[in-house]
Amino acid sequence: MDGNKRWQEGNLKHPDRDPERREFVAAEQDPFGVILSCIDSRVPPELLFDTGLGDLFVMRTGGQVVDSVVTGSVEYGPMTSGTPLIVVLGHQRCGAVKASYEAMRDGKKLPGNLQSIADALRPAYKETVKEKHDDPVDAMTRIHVKQTSAALRSNRDLGPLVKKGSLAVVSAYYSLDSGRVEVLTGAPSA
């Protein structure tokens, strides 16, 4: 979050981005966080958290949706090297969520494999339409990252790490307008 504050203020340190760091991490990595975010070109986790080479495991999918391969990729750091943090990061004006929301609202299918994104977002859509929201796409994004982080927090392999306190699984939301990352759920208590 300190890196995100630097990003917001334009006071970037660009840590761990030099040949010495490349040489240091060439033989082994030990990232301090896992970020699952959207493919959106405006949401590069390494930049918005002002981190460097070897600092984060990053997975990016349309609408930050998960399947078994993505879940396995998210599990990799915590289960193999004790990475203590997972952040599921949604963002403002997400095109994948918007397209999925509109398709479901209108009873249409998205073309090609884009429909698989909408299918994965269906639980968030169902929750979104239960209540009236000024911005239903924004609400759906927030609901989806909360649902995804809750599922990861309670999955059979990550759940025990969360229970013993060695792993935090956080849902968060990135504002394209301000550059701020807001923690929604799962913030560590210490």
Side-chain angles (χ1 to χ4, degrees):
M1 295 309 289
D2 290 341
N4 181 245
K5 187 168 177 52
R6 292 191 303 270
W7 171 256
Q8 291 172 67
E9 296 170 351
N11 187 24
L12 302 173
K13 290 186 178 179
H14 304 289
D16 300 329
R17 295 184 191 176
D18 55 33
E20 290 81 23
R21 178 64 174 185
R22 182 189 69 235
E23 291 169 11
F24 180 75
V25 299
E28 191 172 42
Q29 63 177 335
D30 187 23
F32 60 79
V34 174
I35 310 290
L36 171 59
S37 68
C38 185
I39 60 169
D40 193 292
S41 64
R42 302 165 294 177
V43 188
E46 296 89 344
L47 297 180
L48 62 94
F49 289 111
D50 194 25
T51 59
L53 188 62
D55 291 339
L56 299 173
F57 288 113
V58 176
M59 272 77 38
R60 296 176 74 172
T61 66
Q64 62 282 329
V65 301
V66 298
D67 62 11
S68 60
V69 173
V70 175
T71 299
S73 297
V74 169
E75 291 171 343
Y76 180 81
M79 293 178 62
T80 64
S81 61
T83 304
L85 175 66
I86 296 170
V87 177
V88 180
L89 182 65
H91 68 92
Q92 183 180 31
R93 292 189 288 277
C94 180
V97 173
K98 180 180 180 185
S100 297
Y101 174 83
E102 290 173 352
M104 286 184 268
R105 178 196 64 201
D106 299 341
K108 296 182 178 176
K109 296 277 187 189
L110 292 172
N113 288 311
L114 294 176
Q115 185 57 42
S116 65
I117 296 171
D119 293 343
L121 290 167
R122 189 168 304 283
Y125 175 80
K126 288 180 178 179
E127 185 69 26
T128 301
V129 297
K130 286 182 182 177
E131 297 182 21
K132 185 169 176 73
H133 298 278
D134 290 338
D135 185 342
V137 172
D138 187 76
M140 187 169 150
T141 299
R142 291 170 181 267
I143 289 166
H144 173 64
V145 295
K146 289 176 186 177
Q147 289 174 340
T148 301
S149 66
L152 291 170
R153 203 176 294 117
S154 64
N155 96 6
R156 82 163 193 253
D157 295 310
L158 298 175
L161 300 174
V162 172
K163 282 184 182 169
K164 78 176 188 179
S166 63
L167 176 65
V169 182
V170 174
S171 65
Y173 177 87
Y174 177 65
S175 168
L176 294 170
D177 293 336
S178 70
R180 180 177 180 262
V181 172
E182 170 190 1
V183 174
L184 302 175
T185 60
S189 57

